[in-house]
Amino acid sequence: MDVERTALPGIGLQHVLTTGRGRQIGVVSHRNGRKDLAIYDKDDPDSCVVTVKLSTEEANAIAELLGTGRVVERLNDLHRQVEGLMTEQIPIAPGSPYDGRPLAATQARTRTGASIVAVVRDGQVQASPRPDFIFTSGDIVVVVGTDEGTTAVAAILNNG
């Protein structure tokens, strides 16, 4: 299934997919974190017939209902398909220098080239956590990158 991603200048990003029956459904992610669920006109895909404004909590709940919980499973499938790409799950241990600190403080991507793509907390997946996401002891951080990059992110999360 293809998902079209379109930058909306001044607004954010729009992701649209077409169902097997030809209907288009989209999510508009605003820069301020708000998300809109959009259903497009069957006969005129450029026209939106319904828009539902969602808070971050509501968007996360709907994403969970629709299967975001499978993000880790899908990433594991992806790394099997791309040679050299690794997915690691790294726990935030009690006493980690990042327990209670934001993701941005790690500078993981800049320092290692690997990306933090999700965090699992209490069985709930936070896909694409924002830089202001605060880690808590017990979180499982999902990292994608080379073997060296993911190992380096583990070292950062454990030792600073």
Side-chain angles (χ1 to χ4, degrees):
M1 175 177 301
D2 293 329
V3 176
E4 287 183 41
R5 178 181 168 173
T6 306
L8 302 174
I11 298 173
L13 283 175
Q14 175 187 37
H15 292 86
V16 175
L17 66 90
T18 303
T19 69
R21 293 185 175 184
R23 295 299 305 260
Q24 290 190 318
I25 301 170
V27 174
V28 176
S29 303
H30 296 261
R31 289 180 170 181
N32 65 4
R34 189 184 94 206
K35 297 191 185 307
D36 293 343
L37 178 65
I39 300 173
Y40 297 91
D41 188 319
K42 186 176 182 176
D43 298 319
D44 181 8
D46 291 331
S47 296
C48 185
V49 293
V50 176
T51 301
V52 179
K53 294 179 183 178
L54 302 170
S55 68
T56 299
E57 182 177 277
E58 294 162 341
N60 289 340
I62 288 174
E64 183 63 29
L65 290 171
L66 294 174
T68 300
R70 295 176 43 199
V71 166
V72 173
E73 183 180 313
R74 290 182 183 174
L75 287 171
N76 286 335
D77 288 344
L78 176 63
H79 103 281
R80 279 187 223 114
Q81 297 171 14
V82 180
E83 189 172 331
L85 184 63
M86 303 289 297
T87 302
E88 295 291 335
Q89 298 181 37
I90 304 164
I92 299 291
S96 164
Y98 293 99
D99 182 7
R101 294 182 59 198
L103 181 153
T106 67
Q107 297 183 326
R109 184 166 169 75
T110 301
R111 295 168 67 187
T112 69
S115 296
I116 295 173
V117 298
V119 176
V120 181
R121 177 180 293 164
D122 298 326
Q124 301 288 317
V125 176
Q126 172 71 46
S128 302
R130 297 170 48 98
D132 60 351
F133 182 89
I134 304 293
F135 291 124
T136 299
S137 174
D139 286 349
I140 305 294
V141 179
V142 181
V143 180
V144 175
T146 63
D147 184 35
E148 296 81 19
T150 59
T151 299
V153 172
I156 290 169
L157 294 175
N158 290 319
N159 306 316

